[in-house]
Amino acid sequence: MSTTERPRILVVGGGYVGLYAARRIQKKMRYGEATVTVVDPRSYMTYQPFLPETAAGNISPRHVVVPLRRVLPKAEVLTGRVTTIDQDRKVATIAPLVGEAYELPFDYLVIALGAVSRTFPIPGLAEQGIGMKGIEEAIGLRNHVLEQLDKADSTTDEEIRRKALTFVFIGGGFAGAETIGEVEDMARDAAKYYKNVSREDMRFILVDAADKILPEVGPKLGAYGKEHLESRGVEIYLSTSMDSCVDGHVVLKNGLEVDSNTIVWTAGVKPNPVLARYGLPLGPAVTSTRPPHSRCRAPTTSGPPATTPRSPTSPPARPASRTPGARRTRSTRSVRPRSSATT
């Protein structure tokens, strides 16, 4: 751990936002101007959009993670958790992976903890649910699905086979829809190597409380995605939710009941609950109500200040215009040579 007397910029969280915030800050700083410290329980950043492909084995896990120390060689990377932040004293309490917690002073603070899976007090969910927020869960899901195929291929008990070959996914957003599509494709391909398992023996179920899936891509593409999944044999139940899944017995609000060893939970995210211990304003508003001397301020060397989310009723921001008198440049590949002939 550094003992430098230079100002310290503390970045809490080493995910996508934390990693690129630290990189941009270092790019804008002069040499030796400040120390950038990144704290995260993991020593790598996970590119979450590729987790479904990792769960299906189409992408190697090492291609989905980025070691923080490799991409931030000039930063101070601490593997641990920030348990508390005293903004008046400008001191953070660090709990490392091993050893006792210690205090770390800072001058500027960047919060980039990201989100966690949004769960509900559904009976059996904590014991049976499989998340999709980390590389470990994606790898675990792949191994788990292949294990279910092994079980079904090795027994003649129809109840065991039916439970092993039923896969339930809760949440029809981008993560849930893509994950069930990737896993179904993997299971379909893997079934070719099992004598007693075929795609017709499997049952894939996608459940969402909304009236459509894939709201992130719009209604037209969402409807296309639904039709495509259904054409591959995926059952989709909308405007319903899961009431319980005790011991793998899934009960939906629409009355459907199935037994499954695989219940994947991708029903949205929520802010990291540890923020409640940091003394920071929570909720959709970004304006702090704390006294000015205790607010988190960004250093002047980290680039332009962040802007608050635009109101739906406010006009969109205009793109930055070119400097007056500046000439527009063209790619050399698009420039045609002028003819030497004169008219």
Side-chain angles (χ1 to χ4, degrees), residues 148-225:
Q148 302 312 305
L149 301 184
D150 294 338
K151 289 180 180 180
D153 187 61
S154 305
T155 183
T156 57
D157 190 318
E158 285 301 320
E159 183 177 351
I160 295 177
R161 283 174 51 86
R162 190 181 306 109
K163 190 173 183 179
L165 297 179
T166 301
F167 308 95
V168 180
F169 291 73
I170 308 298
F174 192 84
E178 187 177 11
T179 302
I180 195 173
E182 290 283 350
V183 172
E184 189 275 337
D185 185 70
M186 178 195 72
R188 180 189 296 269
D189 185 68
K192 301 175 183 178
Y193 303 98
Y194 292 88
K195 294 183 178 180
N196 302 317
V197 175
S198 65
R199 174 60 182 90
E200 289 71 24
D201 299 326
M202 306 177 199
R203 188 178 183 185
F204 286 86
I205 300 174
L206 180 63
V207 180
D208 197 278
D211 59 352
K212 57 181 177 297
I213 67 171
L214 295 170
E216 300 91 342
V217 299
K220 186 176 181 179
L221 288 178
Y224 170 79

Side-chain angles (χ1 to χ4, degrees), residues 110-151:
V110 178
I111 301 294
L113 287 173
V116 298
S117 296
R118 180 184 60 184
T119 57
F120 302 98
I122 299 175
L125 179 60
E127 296 79 16
Q128 303 292 330
I130 302 174
M132 275 295 289
K133 286 291 291 179
I135 187 68
E136 299 87 357
E137 292 173 321
I139 298 173
L141 177 60
R142 170 179 168 80
N143 295 337
H144 174 82
V145 171
L146 294 178
E147 183 182 3
Q148 302 312 305
L149 301 184
D150 294 338
K151 289 180 180 180

Side-chain angles (χ1 to χ4, degrees), residues 60-142:
S60 175
R62 66 188 180 90
H63 294 152
V64 186
V65 297
V66 179
L68 296 177
R69 290 179 173 86
R70 187 179 70 184
V71 296
L72 298 172
K74 298 180 181 180
E76 181 183 41
V77 178
L78 304 179
T79 305
R81 300 179 183 275
V82 177
T83 56
T84 59
I85 295 177
D86 189 334
Q87 298 187 56
D88 295 324
R89 297 172 52 215
K90 288 192 175 182
V91 171
T93 302
I94 311 295
L97 292 181
V98 293
E100 298 181 356
Y102 56 89
E103 291 187 341
L104 184 72
F106 63 86
D107 297 276
Y108 303 99
L109 181 63
V110 178
I111 301 294
L113 287 173
V116 298
S117 296
R118 180 184 60 184
T119 57
F120 302 98
I122 299 175
L125 179 60
E127 296 79 16
Q128 303 292 330
I130 302 174
M132 275 295 289
K133 286 291 291 179
I135 187 68
E136 299 87 357
E137 292 173 321
I139 298 173
L141 177 60
R142 170 179 168 80

